[in-house]
Structure formats: C-alpha cells, structure tokens
Amino acid sequence: MELSCILSVLIFSMLYSQGAPFRICAFNTQRFAQGKVDKAHVMDTFVKILARCDIAVLQEVMDAKGKAIPALAAALNRFENGSDVYSYITSPLLGRSNYQERYVFMYRNKRTRVLDSYKYEDDHLERPDVFAREPFIVRFSLPNKALPELVLIPQHTMPSKAEAEIDALYDVFLNVQARWGTEDMIFLGDFNADCGYVAKKRWSNIRLCEKPGFHWLIGDKADTTVRENTRCAYDRIVVHGEQCLDAVVPGSAQPFDFPKEFGLSETEALEISDHYPVEVELYSACWGLQPASPVGLLFLATAMLSGTGYVI
Ligand SMILES: *[C@@H]1O[C@H](CO)[C@@H](O)[C@H](O)[C@H]1NC(C)=O
C-alpha cells in the first residue's frame, strides 16, 4: 500500500471528526428531595435518565438543605464509573413564599463547562416581579466549532401565571442579548404551556411565540406528562439564533418516554416524576485538527489491512 494513500486517509480522518450528538434535556423532577434520594430504585431511574444527557436542566428541586443534589451527582458519577464525570451548578432557592425550589444544571465535564451564569433580575419597569422562579441563566461551552457557546434559560412557570411568565421570557431574551451580545440561546423547561393554563387564543399575545426568530421545537401536540389520562405539552424547548438552529439535529427534539424505555408501570414512573424530560440534540461535528473519528480510523485500518491502494 502506498504511503501517500495512508497519509491521505489519515489526514481525512483527522480533518473530519463527527462526535456523538450533544444532548440537552430539561426535566421537571417533581419535588426532587431527600425522599427520592432514599429510594434506591427511584435513584437508579433518575441516574439512567440523566446519563443520557450532556446537560440536564432540572426543575422543581426542593433541596433546601443542599444534600439531595450532591447525592444525585454522586450516584450519577458512580454509574459512570468516575468521580467527576458530571458536575452541577445550582440556582439559589427561588420562590415567593415558603414554597421554594432550585434550578440545577448537571453537565458532563468532558464535553462542556460553565462559562458564566446569573439570576435574572426580575425588575422590568413595566412588568416587575413577573416570575415566581426567576430564570437562572447559564452560558456553556459546546464541542461544536460553529457554535462554541450556548446560553440556557430554564423556566418553571407557576401554572396560574404561565401566560405572563412565558411572555416575559422575551424580556429575558433582550436582557441576555444585551449582557452577553449573543443570539444563540435555548429556553427550556416546564412552561405549563397547555391544558387550561394557556388558552389557544392567548398565544398571539405571547411575545416568545409571536416575535420572529423563536423556534418552538416541542409543539402543542406533544405529551410531556406521565399520566396516561393526561395529554399536555407543558414542557417546551424554544431555540433562538441561526447558529443554534443550524446545530439542532433535525427531528431530535422530543419528550423522553422513560416509563416505556425502562419498562416501568405508570405507578412506578410516578415515583420518579409526573413529567417526561424533554430533550434535543445538537451536532458536535467539527472540521479541524481533531482526534481522528472512529469512522475515519476504521477506514484507515481497513485500508492498511487490505493492503490494496485505496484511492480517495
Ligand atoms: C461501569 O463499570 C461496569 C463494570 O465494569 C460496567 O458494566 C459499566 O458498563 C460501566 N459503566 C459505564 C457507564 O461505563
């Protein structure tokens, strides 16, 4: 086999590296706290759900003492056979009364890191104190040359205020844009965006829906609820920014039906949460001097073993 041929295959495999898609999930964990940590079978399922995600945006974490999330991260790392495969960043406790919860981002260290974060100051002149649980906004690095950074904006609305809170996410968009000068962001979480909380005719008043440039990847027909007798698209993923939209793997946004995937009855599944996670995949393909891709290496190995002069 000619050296030039080996070299060209090697160069090809180094130039093009198609990594596994980067999966971002949002999950209303329905009062995640010590009670769930204490049930081994519940934790096992949580861990299996989270291990699918490169970043998981958890909502309704009611970990006032701050012990349940470290326990969840430790269980996830044990499952992954490492001590720091996943890290997390948590918001402060958020809420108006003594009902308070946190947003938590669990993320895979090998593929991403936190670049910056802040809690949205809910003090818009015309709409002060709209959010019961202000977005805790995090900017992450991504393994994608075309989209090296991405802003994630979690939201868990109060059901009775869903319309006003979803609308006010547009103010959050303007705030992020001004602060970090970026267009590429994803709004995600349990918006309570269906089934009596947001009436169909009200959508035309909601700027996050009406303004151009916002792409609702989980549509109104989706079911993000575990209960068999409910069918509601509460949990959503909304993408903004051309680069971000281009990075989305077409058709990858979906609710993750974990009871079906893991063979759980409705009762068993409801011990985990009454919501499905919603998820989307981004390409992590890169052109450039990357470690060679498995496909490229396989091609190279085949070419070398066969000893025949492949021509590219
Ligand atoms: C962790 O190690 C066990 C035992 O060696 C193995 O079966 C399992 O697949 C590993 N898990 C991961 C995520 O690599």
Side-chain angles (χ1 to χ4, degrees):
M1 186 178 177
E2 286 175 32
L3 186 63
S4 66
C5 171
I6 296 176
L7 275 179
S8 57
V9 177
L10 187 60
I11 287 167
F12 174 81
S13 64
M14 284 180 74
L15 277 180
Y16 187 67
S17 166
Q18 170 88 62
F22 188 93
R23 186 181 283 134
I24 299 174
C25 315
F27 192 16
N28 180 334
T29 60
Q30 199 188 16
R31 296 178 169 242
F32 185 83
Q34 195 61 38
K36 292 191 180 186
V37 173
D38 291 340
K39 291 183 185 147
H41 61 289
V42 169
M43 284 295 265
D44 285 350
T45 304
F46 263 108
V47 161
K48 281 193 284 179
I49 291 172
L50 297 184
R52 304 173 70 255
C53 311
D54 294 299
I55 302 175
V57 182
L58 310 181
Q59 308 126 63
E60 214 174 295
V61 171
M62 306 198 55
D63 182 17
K65 296 204 189 98
K67 289 198 176 154
I69 285 298
L72 180 62
L76 184 54
N77 283 324
R78 274 196 303 278
F79 179 80
E80 296 277 343
N81 298 326
S83 56
D84 58 354
V85 180
Y86 279 88
S87 296
Y88 58 88
I89 178 171
T90 67
S91 76
L93 280 168
L94 301 166
R96 293 197 181 105
S97 59
N98 54 8
Y99 178 94
Q100 299 205 316
E101 55 178 80
R102 298 179 200 277
Y103 299 115
V104 175
F105 298 74
M106 286 271 174
Y107 57 93
R108 194 181 281 274
N109 289 316
K110 253 195 194 154
R111 305 200 80 192
T112 182
R113 65 201 157 83
V114 171
L115 302 174
D116 208 347
S117 67
Y118 72 102
K119 189 185 87 167
Y120 175 70
E121 285 305 325
D122 193 9
D123 57 1
H124 194 280
L125 286 178
E126 291 160 43
R127 287 173 288 279
D129 198 18
V130 174
F131 295 107
R133 301 168 282 253
E134 303 88 337
F136 180 75
I137 302 159
V138 183
R139 190 150 60 101
F140 284 97
S141 70
L142 287 184
N144 182 333
K145 284 236 159 54
L147 183 70
E149 295 180 15
L150 178 65
V151 175
L152 297 184
I153 303 168
Q155 181 53 31
H156 178 207
T157 68
M158 283 230 310
S160 60
K161 299 277 167 25
E163 181 189 327
E165 294 192 24
I166 300 167
D167 176 66
L169 287 174
Y170 185 73
D171 299 325
V172 178
F173 160 73
L174 296 176
N175 186 263
V176 170
Q177 202 186 32
R179 184 180 184 118
W180 285 333
T182 181
E183 300 292 322
D184 296 303
M185 51 189 100
I186 299 182
F187 300 82
L188 68 179
D190 177 10
F191 292 5
N192 285 297
D194 199 0
C195 291
Y197 298 129
V198 182
K200 278 202 176 54
K201 61 174 194 284
R202 305 296 302 174
W203 281 108
S204 56
N205 302 326
I206 295 178
R207 287 169 296 159
L208 199 75
C209 194
E210 273 307 288
K211 295 274 186 187
F214 295 92
H215 303 271
W216 289 61
L217 301 188
I218 306 286
D220 297 343
K221 296 254 158 46
D223 180 10
T224 71
T225 64
V226 165
R227 284 195 176 81
E228 277 152 28
N229 60 1
T230 55
R231 186 174 180 88
C232 306
Y234 288 144
D235 303 77
R236 302 295 188 122
I237 296 176
V238 180
V239 166
H240 186 276
E242 286 304 311
Q243 262 97 343
C244 187
L245 193 61
D246 285 350
V248 169
V249 177
S252 66
Q254 56 166 8
F256 174 56
D257 184 346
F258 69 89
K260 187 169 158 211
E261 187 75 19
F262 300 140
L264 303 177
S265 69
E266 184 186 280
T267 312
E268 288 166 336
L270 286 171
E271 286 190 83
I272 317 302
S273 176
D274 55 356
H275 288 253
Y276 295 146
V278 288
E279 62 183 34
V280 63
E281 287 177 356
L282 305 180
Y283 289 116
S284 66
C286 303
W287 288 93
L289 279 177
Q290 300 293 321
S293 68
V295 173
L297 283 178
L298 193 67
F299 192 30
L300 176 63
T302 314
M304 289 177 80
L305 283 176
S306 69
T308 54
Y310 280 18
V311 180
I312 299 178

